[in-house]
Structures are given as structure tokens and as C-alpha cells.
Amino acid sequence: MSPLQRKQCLMNTVIRPEPVFVRGQGAWLYDQAGLAYLDWVQGWAVNALGHSPEVVTAALARQSSTLLNASPGFYHPPLLALAEKLVAASVFDQVFFINSGAEANEGAIKLARKWGRLHKDGAYEIITFANGYHGRTLATMSATGKPGWDTYYPPQVPGFPKAGFNDLESVAALIGPSTVAIMLEPVQGEGGVIPASEAFIHGLRALCDRHGLILIFDEVQTGCGRTGELFAYQHYGVTPDIMTLGKGLGGGVPLSALLARQQYCCFEPGDQGGTFSGAPLACAVGAAVLDVIAQPAFLDNVRERGRQLHAGLERLSARHGLGEVRGQGLLLALVLPDGDAPVLVEQARAQGLLLNAPRANCLRMMPALNSTAAEIEEGLVLLDRTLVAWHLLRHPSPRRAELA
């Protein structure tokens, strides 16, 4: 079968570029032709420690020779160890493990709705936000505020009124007798890397306390060190009631988690599950990754590399007449004056830099959390070259002389 025929065996769910990637090491990906790419996508912030880190490959090797899958109905050491580590590192009391961020968020929705049935006269509505993103199950797509998603698979799951992000009054206006929770990303990743303001987060906590609501933080992308703290809620000095994790928790292995404070842990046997829930292989890797990313020195490096990248992007923005730089830690976006972000993603790949465009007017950067200063600087050089080439294509005559 030819390479083209092989590609045609895949369902048409995503537009993939031509390169076929065969190997990854640290900050770099390599294609079949042997070309190297500095990867600032890292599996959409999944590879917290970069590609094929020794700590992950060693944990996989050890656990795969001992116990791959025990069934979610049994205890095993990796399950207990990872649960203990997450509880000890956070404000939460119990945890449920599953495979993806969407499943963790689905679990959070179920947990909140059950708590509402038991303790709040059947309240079930969860206020979410315009441009928010929570996953691709039917319920999490309904909770998502991404434009146009309400038309994909109608009818939507009811119970997810949308407020304006960083607009506390719009949230308060939606609270009613059927409201049980407020759910948000501390930084809206797919929405264009938009952080919640400190006043907004504190206002949400106050609203939840006043009305007896659950505050749910979707930290699938922002958790596990991505913003420079182990969890993004720690930036705000606010305690959520429920939190979800995913992406970086498994360091490249499918793993997510639903965490909750004791008073909201109302699941009973049979309420929630999953064939691969808390599988030994994934939990062993998660425990090994968490041991690394929870270290103060590691988080110090994330913050320092985040400051370096932020400052470098601001310089490039000033030089090339672009927009603001926003985000936290190593989850950053560069805003463009028009809708050329997808074009720039392609041009950056030609320069050997992998980027993502969550919106047509911004580029998103999600480097490995253990990136070095030299790797960040190299990425900025490659991005500068990309922007020069972009300007030359758009303004071939006058800009060529100016940028030479």
C-alpha cells in the first residue's frame, strides 16, 4: 500500500501536514526524511518533559514487565501511589483516574450533578463560558463555548448556560435555582490563551460561597506545571471544589484525573467507571512524571523559561508590528493583526518550528516544561525568520529593504 493509500485509511477528522514523524527526543521531533523540528506543540501540551524522556520510558519498561492491566476493580501499587501524591500536592481529598481530559471533565459534570441531586433540590445547571473548551464528548462539547460547536451534533446536552469570561456580572445574572456549579479554565487555551483575572477568580469563589455552588477548575491544559505553578489555581490563592487534570499528567501516556474536596465526593460504586480507569501502566508513568514536575527547582525553571519566552515574543511583536503576548508560564500566545495564524504555522514548520493556531489571529506556544534557555532562544530565532518571510510574502518590495 502506498503512503497516500495508508493516509486514506484514516477518517477525515483533522488536517495533517505532509511530514510523517518517526522519532522524538526532548524538545525535538524528526520526520521520515531526517529533518528536525523544534516542537512548541508537544502533543498539545501533553509532553510535559518533552519527547521520550528517560523518566517516562524507564517507568514504562519497569511497569510493563510487572503488571499492565489489573482491571479497574482492583487495587495495585501505582494506583495508590499516584492518588496519594496528587492528594498530598493539592487541596483535594479524593481522585478518580481515567484516560482523557474530556472524560475527566465528563466525570466532573456527573459529580456536580449528583451532588446537586442529593444536596441542592436537583440543581443540575453548570455555568460555563464563551470560548471555553472542555472536550469532545457530547456533554463536554455542550459545556464548551467554542463558536459553532452547538451546530455539530444537535441537540446539545442541556444545562450549560454560557457567561462572558472575565465578566462577573454575566455569571451572576445566570445563577438561578437550577444552578449547581461554575466550570472554567483558568486560562482559556483553545480560546486564544486568555487568562482569568485575579479579581474574576476571587469573584467566582465569592459567588459560589454565597449561593452554595461548586467551583470547578478545568486544569487539563493549565495543570501539571504548565503555568509555572503545579496547578494554576495556586496563582490565585483560591481553592476550587473540583479540579480536572490531563495532558501533562501522563507525560505522553493517556492519563487524566478528577479530583474533589471531601464534601463533594458523592460517587458510589457503579456511578462512574472506565475499562482503563487507573491502569497500572498509566499510573506508574503519572507518578514518575509528578515526582519530577512537582520539584520546586523544576517549577522555577518553568517560570524562568516562561519569562524568557514572553520577553522574546514581546520583542518580536514590537519588531514586526504584531499584537499582545498573553498567557502564563509556558502556555503563551502571540496575537496577530489579522487571520494569518494558520499560514504562519505552515511557514514556521518550513523553518523547522512547530506551532499551533487555536484562533486565526494568534499563535500558541507550548514548549516542553524542561526546555533549556538555548532551546527557547533557538525557537525565537526560528519564529523571527518565519515572520520575516511572512512579511516578505505580504509586502515583497518595501519590506524587503527594511528587513534586510
Side-chain angles (χ1 to χ4, degrees):
M1 189 177 288
S2 71
L4 177 60
Q5 288 173 318
R6 286 180 177 176
K7 291 175 180 178
Q8 290 173 341
C9 291
L10 295 169
M11 287 190 180
N12 184 26
T13 61
V14 64
I15 299 173
R16 294 182 173 94
E18 282 302 310
V20 176
F21 293 107
V22 297
R23 183 170 64 90
Q25 189 62 53
W28 297 86
L29 264 179
Y30 301 85
D31 68 15
Q32 275 186 330
L35 297 176
Y37 302 79
L38 183 61
D39 187 1
W40 279 5
V41 177
Q42 289 292 343
W44 276 270
V46 165
N47 306 322
L49 304 178
H51 293 281
S52 304
E54 194 277 334
V55 66
V56 169
T57 58
L60 284 170
R62 287 193 304 269
Q63 191 59 44
S64 65
S65 65
T66 304
L67 181 64
L68 283 174
N69 193 345
S71 150
F74 299 126
Y75 292 115
H76 53 79
L79 174 71
L80 297 171
L82 181 54
E84 180 185 11
K85 289 175 188 292
L86 282 172
V87 167
S90 71
V91 296
F92 303 99
D93 300 298
Q94 291 187 340
V95 58
F96 168 76
F97 295 111
I98 197 69
N99 312 298
S100 68
E103 291 168 287
N105 285 333
E106 185 98 3
I109 292 165
K110 291 177 181 177
L111 188 62
R113 286 190 170 189
K114 179 167 185 182
W115 185 88
R117 177 165 58 83
L118 294 175
H119 302 289
K120 203 169 171 58
D121 298 324
Y124 68 96
E125 287 188 345
I126 299 173
I127 296 171
T128 58
F129 292 89
N131 295 313
Y133 181 88
H134 300 292
R136 289 183 175 271
T137 67
L138 283 176
T140 56
M141 285 187 75
S142 299
T144 289
K146 198 167 181 177
W149 274 35
D150 56 338
T151 66
Y152 274 26
Y153 308 110
Q156 284 200 303
V157 177
F160 299 101
K162 305 294 187 299
F165 198 63
N166 282 325
D167 181 353
L168 197 61
E169 289 185 4
S170 73
V171 180
L174 292 175
I175 296 174
S178 295
T179 308
V180 69
I182 299 170
M183 182 177 185
L184 78 157
E185 306 157 271
V187 180
Q188 288 190 329
E190 289 295 309
V193 191
I194 303 170
S197 71
E198 186 170 342
F200 182 61
I201 294 294
H202 281 266
L204 292 179
R205 180 70 270 176
L207 280 177
C208 287
D209 293 343
R210 187 180 313 135
H211 294 278
L213 307 178
I214 300 170
L215 182 59
I216 304 172
F217 268 32
D218 174 350
E219 293 224 30
V220 170
Q221 185 165 140
T222 59
C224 303
R226 176 57 55 180
T227 65
E229 297 287 351
L230 189 56
F231 309 115
Y233 76 78
Q234 294 169 327
H235 287 286
Y236 298 97
V238 163
T239 300
D241 303 307
I242 294 174
M243 178 176 72
T244 57
L245 299 173
K247 293 189 183 290
L249 181 61
V253 171
L255 178 63
S256 64
L258 163 64
L259 299 96
R261 296 166 67 191
Q262 186 66 54
Q263 69 195 84
Y264 301 104
C265 294
C266 56
F267 279 153
E268 297 175 295
D271 283 352
Q272 180 65 315
T275 302
F276 297 100
S277 171
L281 196 64
C283 286
V285 172
V289 170
L290 191 60
D291 282 344
V292 174
I293 64 177
Q295 294 299 315
F298 183 91
L299 293 170
D300 284 343
N301 181 70
V302 175
R303 290 188 285 269
E304 183 58 33
R305 298 287 72 75
R307 287 190 289 268
Q308 178 189 0
L309 180 54
H310 194 285
L313 291 173
E314 286 188 326
R315 289 194 300 271
L316 292 181
S317 179
R319 181 185 180 200
H320 296 282
L322 306 177
E324 68 174 321
V325 178
R326 61 193 182 208
Q328 288 179 318
L330 286 173
L331 175 59
L332 295 175
L334 174 60
V335 177
L336 306 176
D338 48 37
D340 273 4
V343 174
L344 274 164
V345 167
E346 293 186 12
Q347 292 181 339
R349 188 170 62 250
Q351 296 285 345
L353 176 65
L354 301 180
L355 301 172
N356 167 248
R359 287 287 187 267
N361 70 334
C362 74
L363 298 172
R364 178 169 51 174
M365 293 82 178
M366 302 168 285
L369 300 184
N370 55 355
S371 294
T372 65
E375 287 165 345
I376 295 297
E377 185 57 35
E378 183 159 4
L380 290 167
V381 169
L382 292 172
L383 181 55
D384 188 33
R385 291 177 188 167
T386 300
L387 292 168
V388 167
W390 174 61
H391 277 304
L392 291 175
L393 282 174
R394 292 176 44 149
H395 310 284
S397 299
R399 292 293 289 173
R400 185 180 301 274
E402 180 183 333
L403 294 167

